[in-house]
Amino acid sequence: MNLVSIIAKPEITITKNPFLVSSPLLFFSNKTKSKTSIPRVLSSSMSYNKELAAAKKAVSLAARLCQKMQKAILQSDVQSKSDKSPVTVADYGSQALVSYALQRELPSELFSLVAEEDSEDLLKDGGQETLERITKLVNDILATDGSYSDSTLSTEDIVKAIDCGKSEGGSRGRHWVLDPIDGTKGFLRGDQYAIALALLDEGTVVLGVLACPNLPLPSIAGGSQHSLPGEVGCLFFSVVGGGTYMQPLDSSSAVKVQVNATDNPEEASLFESYEAAHSMHDLSSSIVKKLGVKAPPVRIDSQAKYGALSRGDGVIYLRFPHKGYREKIWDHAAGCIVVSEAGGLVTDVAGNPLDFSRGRYLDLDTGIIVTNQKLMPLLLKAVRESIEEKASSL
């Protein structure tokens, strides 16, 4: 693999009110990143209880915001980024809420956030109205929740909260990793999306929380992504060494989940990205044919696939982006630990664990494969053969 090292590691020091700073640039100080690319092995005795509680709180608030926004979404909410993927008011609002809530819940810690969005488009001409809508939306959610009744955020506060996400991450220290809405196109269609938050500690993912507001509580093993009203909305969470749990978004009653442990590929079902631009479906088809998988693929937006896989709804997830696409760490960090702690494996095509320690990108040369431990050897063999056949046919 041609892995790319990113040098700077911005950090943020928290005060009691995290937004009593005149400029977002004053949040950051650069340090040289360690040359090593191997994540440090963490002691299994380390506790992340307060970080998990803060993460669940922050993601739950963001999920409420996204649910509210999805109900009232208008085409005018959609903006365009340089990569042409849609960004909504909910994207920015979700990131601002998570950033703010984490800082309020963990006020004594250095705060570093690697996240998808920044305020550049909001600060351009014509962006003020959108920024005011985001500010109102965030304040409405905070007021309804009541946890931070002492705070009413200004547009400047929102900009600073969003721009906390400019950290580059890396192999030293702690970094939160956030995708405020993973699966934005699914969100706009009314289908699957996720709010995905993970914590890196010395380059290793140690905690993950996935909110999937549209994922049915019952299994989607049969391929249906829709359920009756009141039966949707899942929160998955994991801490290293502690397993994976799922609870309804509107409840604190959690159950431990496990991946499907079948060793028969004919009984396995496949998840893949809904958008053809996100994965080479023809390569996936070749792989499942070699394995003898009989069920048609289930195509789902976002890291909701990781959540569904962790509770056994499916057995295999394949993601093979087209040439030139760079995988971002926020697209996989939370989902990776959720599946891993449920007994699954997440690797590159060579069978190596994903390395989240090198900055904002994974820089994989081919793709990502996910399944249980029993099927992984067979899956790796089928993947290698299919990739070789595809290359020889070009």
Side-chain angles (χ1 to χ4, degrees):
M1 292 183 294
N2 181 19
L3 295 174
V4 178
S5 294
I6 301 180
I7 304 301
K9 180 177 79 69
E11 294 180 343
I12 304 162
T13 301
I14 297 304
T15 60
K16 186 173 182 180
N17 184 337
F19 302 121
L20 294 179
V21 181
S22 59
S23 168
L25 296 177
L26 297 181
F27 277 111
F28 303 105
S29 62
N30 293 328
K31 292 184 179 179
T32 302
K33 176 182 176 290
S34 168
K35 292 182 180 179
T36 180
S37 64
I38 302 174
R40 184 181 302 176
V41 178
L42 299 167
S43 168
S44 60
S45 64
M46 293 184 70
S47 173
Y48 296 94
N49 291 339
K50 65 178 182 178
E51 290 85 356
L52 177 62
K56 290 174 68 177
K57 171 76 170 177
V59 167
S60 295
L61 284 171
R64 289 184 211 170
L65 180 149
C66 293
Q67 288 171 312
K68 179 176 181 178
M69 194 63 193
Q70 192 177 55
K71 290 178 181 179
I73 196 165
L74 300 172
Q75 190 62 35
S76 60
D77 292 328
V78 180
Q79 298 191 5
S80 178
K81 291 191 298 186
S82 59
D83 65 359
K84 307 302 182 183
S85 64
V87 178
T88 66
V89 170
D91 258 312
Y92 294 111
S94 175
Q95 182 158 316
L97 256 182
V98 171
S99 173
Y100 178 73
L102 287 176
Q103 294 179 71
R104 286 297 299 264
E105 295 294 318
L106 304 168
S108 62
E109 296 189 5
L110 291 175
F111 184 70
S112 175
L113 178 66
V114 184
E116 183 171 19
E117 307 301 345
D118 63 55
S119 67
E120 181 180 355
D121 289 344
L122 297 175
L123 298 178
K124 292 178 180 177
D125 290 343
Q128 185 62 31
E129 182 181 351
T130 301
L131 180 55
E132 289 174 356
R133 292 183 64 197
I134 296 165
T135 304
K136 182 180 185 305
L137 188 61
V138 169
N139 281 321
D140 286 348
I141 296 298
L142 291 175
T144 301
D145 179 73
S147 295
Y148 314 119
S149 57
D150 59 329
S151 300
T152 299
L153 303 184
S154 66
T155 54
E156 291 78 12
D157 292 332
I158 294 297
V159 167
K160 291 170 186 175
I162 292 170
D163 285 343
C164 282
K166 290 181 177 180
S167 172
E168 297 291 347
S171 62
R172 299 180 62 184
R174 289 187 177 188
H175 309 279
W176 291 97
V177 179
L178 171 69
D179 194 332
I181 297 184
D182 184 32
T184 314
K185 291 181 179 178
F187 174 78
L188 293 171
R189 289 197 311 270
D191 289 334
Q192 298 304 323
Y193 68 98
I195 299 95
L197 181 64
L199 178 62
L200 285 178
D201 195 345
E202 303 299 316
T204 299
V205 182
V206 296
L207 179 157
V209 179
L210 274 180
C212 306
N214 286 340
L215 187 66
L217 290 166
S219 172
I220 60 168
S224 174
Q225 300 177 43
H226 305 282
S227 189
L228 296 174
E231 293 186 323
V232 297
C234 303
L235 185 75
F236 299 89
F237 59 93
S238 304
V239 173
V240 62
T244 295
Y245 292 82
M246 182 191 77
Q247 66 187 54
L249 263 177
D250 59 358
S251 169
S252 60
S253 178
V255 295
K256 194 169 187 178
V257 295
Q258 291 283 325
V259 298
N260 185 314
T262 183
D263 60 359
N264 184 355
E266 291 188 2
E267 297 175 356
S269 54
L270 169 73
F271 287 160
E272 61 182 358
S273 299
Y274 184 94
E275 299 290 336
H278 294 169
S279 190
M280 292 184 283
H281 290 164
D282 58 337
L283 181 56
S284 297
S285 297
S286 171
I287 293 165
V288 298
K289 185 176 180 180
K290 286 181 180 297
L291 284 173
V293 174
K294 295 181 177 180
V298 179
R299 292 174 178 165
I300 307 176
D301 295 285
S302 84
Q303 289 177 71
K305 290 184 287 292
Y306 282 109
L309 225 68
S310 75
R311 69 183 187 186
D313 291 9
V315 184
I316 299 169
Y317 168 33
L318 299 175
R319 181 179 172 102
F320 300 107
H322 294 275
K323 186 176 181 180
Y325 181 84
R326 299 180 73 190
E327 292 282 10
K328 293 90 170 176
I329 63 173
W330 54 75
D331 284 328
H332 300 282
C336 182
I337 190 171
V338 162
V339 166
S340 299
E341 285 296 322
L345 292 173
V346 183
T347 77
D348 64 14
V349 296
N352 300 313
L354 305 187
D355 184 356
F356 293 94
S357 71
R358 291 184 170 258
R360 295 172 73 87
Y361 296 94
L362 289 171
D363 283 328
L364 303 171
D365 58 358
T366 306
I368 294 171
I369 58 179
V370 185
T371 191
N372 64 41
Q373 297 183 30
K374 295 177 181 178
L375 279 180
M376 184 58 82
L378 286 174
L379 180 56
L380 283 170
K381 181 176 183 291
V383 167
R384 285 193 293 267
E385 291 176 355
S386 295
I387 290 174
E388 289 171 1
E389 290 173 4
K390 184 177 178 68
S392 65
S393 68
L394 297 177

